[in-house]
Amino acid sequence: MNKLNPFTLRIILYLLPLLLAAGACGCEDPLAHRSIAKPEKQEKPESPAGSKTRKVPEMGACQVINVRLEELSGLCMTKDSTALWAVGDEGALCQVSFSGAVKPVLKSRMDLEGVTLDPATGDLYLAVEGDQMVCRVAAPDYQTVDTLFYIQEAVQGNFENNGLEGISFYKDSLLFVGSQEDALLWTCKLDGSIVARRSLMSETSLIKEIGGLCYDPSKNWLWVTDSDACRLFLFSANTFDLLASYDIPSIENAESICIDRTHNCIWVGSDEDSSKLYKFNFTF
């Protein structure tokens, strides 16, 4: 073998590491050092309110009943569940049969917008718009109206014709009182002390106002009518989570609601030119 001269040997020794490195690069997996991000974990969306995963009442057929009560604005069940108490904007307090027959009980000059009954005493509580106050009509004769308290926020805020619209007896001698303005809901003691206050607009963007209220003690639910949105809303009375909503586009001015589990229906009163009572069959 011929010996390499010193110069050639130096060239080979210089180039050998470079050639070896190039060969290594040519064989390496090009993805070996690439940073590959793992796919993010996809969270399952929450079930929407009123979906099949949650047991809510189902609306059925509707019956329309004409009622000769001027500007029907409030409804609640009588203590024996044989008829409805009803009030109108022109100050009338009446009993209305399930067929629509009207029995006048008391006449006042107040703008009566809501009525509810204390199941223990039979006393009625009225929501009065304009004055923004709550009154009591004592059982059993229902002939005397006593002013209990004013909702000062509605008075000082000049809610006027956007004021108190709904009222419902809750529990532990508490009342729910609601206004059209900002769909505000107050929880009040009978002496007028406010226990809680919230806007239902913070619970759902669908609601525009409170037109009527009805507490359902069997499920601890709060039902709300909204004449602007043309909907019925169902909330949890504890958390005020929206459980369901129901479209009622055929009702012109739904300002009152009454839950009737005895007859498996919901009564909705509409303040129209000719007042109407709507009976919706429900599967509870």
Side-chain angles (χ1 to χ4, degrees):
M1 178 182 293
N2 293 328
K3 293 182 177 181
L4 298 174
N5 61 55
F7 177 77
T8 302
L9 183 59
R10 284 197 300 272
I11 294 297
I12 292 173
L13 293 174
Y14 174 78
L15 294 176
L16 183 60
L18 298 178
L19 293 173
L20 291 173
C25 290
C27 297
E28 186 177 15
D29 182 355
L31 299 180
H33 299 292
R34 181 178 296 176
S35 176
I36 302 176
K38 295 181 179 180
E40 295 182 1
K41 182 180 179 181
Q42 297 296 318
E43 299 292 341
K44 293 183 179 180
E46 294 181 359
S47 298
S51 70
K52 292 182 180 179
T53 61
R54 190 193 297 269
K55 178 66 174 176
V56 296
E58 295 182 5
M59 179 186 282
C62 176
Q63 178 185 359
V64 185
I65 303 165
N66 290 316
V67 179
R68 290 190 176 181
L69 171 57
E70 193 171 1
E71 299 186 72
L72 171 61
S73 296
L75 288 173
C76 74
M77 193 66 66
T78 59
K79 194 174 184 203
D80 59 6
S81 300
T82 60
L84 298 164
W85 283 107
V87 294
D89 291 9
E90 298 303 313
L93 170 66
C94 305
Q95 280 195 8
V96 179
S97 73
F98 298 139
S99 62
V102 176
K103 175 185 175 182
V105 175
L106 181 148
K107 181 68 175 178
S108 73
R109 295 182 178 180
M110 297 180 292
D111 181 0
L112 303 181
E113 296 288 346
V115 58
T116 190
L117 179 136
D118 180 342
T121 66
D123 292 348
L124 296 176
Y125 294 85
L126 311 176
V128 183
E129 197 171 43
D131 294 314
Q132 319 303 351
M133 66 183 179
V134 172
C135 297
R136 177 174 56 206
V137 182
D141 58 349
Y142 301 107
Q143 291 299 305
T144 304
V145 182
D146 298 314
T147 299
L148 292 185
F149 59 88
Y150 294 83
I151 299 293
Q152 290 300 326
E153 181 176 359
V155 174
Q156 296 169 4
N158 296 318
F159 285 10
E160 297 180 349
N161 201 41
N162 285 320
L164 305 193
E165 282 284 333
I167 189 169
S168 183
F169 206 85
Y170 181 27
K171 56 184 177 180
D172 302 325
S173 297
L174 296 173
L175 293 169
F176 283 129
V177 182
S179 74
Q180 288 181 301
E181 186 79 21
D182 295 333
L184 290 173
L185 181 71
W186 297 272
T187 307
C188 308
K189 294 182 179 180
L190 298 183
D191 63 3
S193 303
I194 294 176
V195 175
R197 179 260 196 204
R198 68 175 59 236
S199 169
L200 293 182
M201 289 180 175
S202 65
E203 308 302 327
T204 173
S205 61
L206 297 175
I207 199 164
K208 309 301 179 187
E209 66 169 19
I210 292 175
L213 295 170
C214 185
Y215 174 65
D216 184 355
S218 64
K219 290 290 187 178
N220 200 31
W221 286 341
L222 180 63
W223 290 83
V224 181
T225 57
D226 184 336
S227 59
D228 278 355
C230 296
R231 287 176 181 262
L232 306 181
F233 292 95
L234 175 60
F235 294 91
S236 162
N238 282 339
T239 64
F240 297 100
D241 290 333
L242 177 64
L243 304 180
S245 69
Y246 306 85
D247 290 328
I248 48 170
S250 62
I251 301 183
E252 184 178 323
N253 194 12
E255 288 198 345
S256 50
I257 182 170
C258 178
I259 311 308
D260 184 353
R261 287 184 172 269
T262 302
H263 301 96
N264 293 315
C265 68
I266 290 180
W267 302 91
V268 177
S270 183
D271 180 357
E272 305 176 15
D273 289 339
S274 177
S275 294
K276 293 181 177 61
L277 192 60
Y278 293 79
K279 179 186 179 183
F280 289 94
N281 292 330
F282 262 84
T283 302
F284 289 106

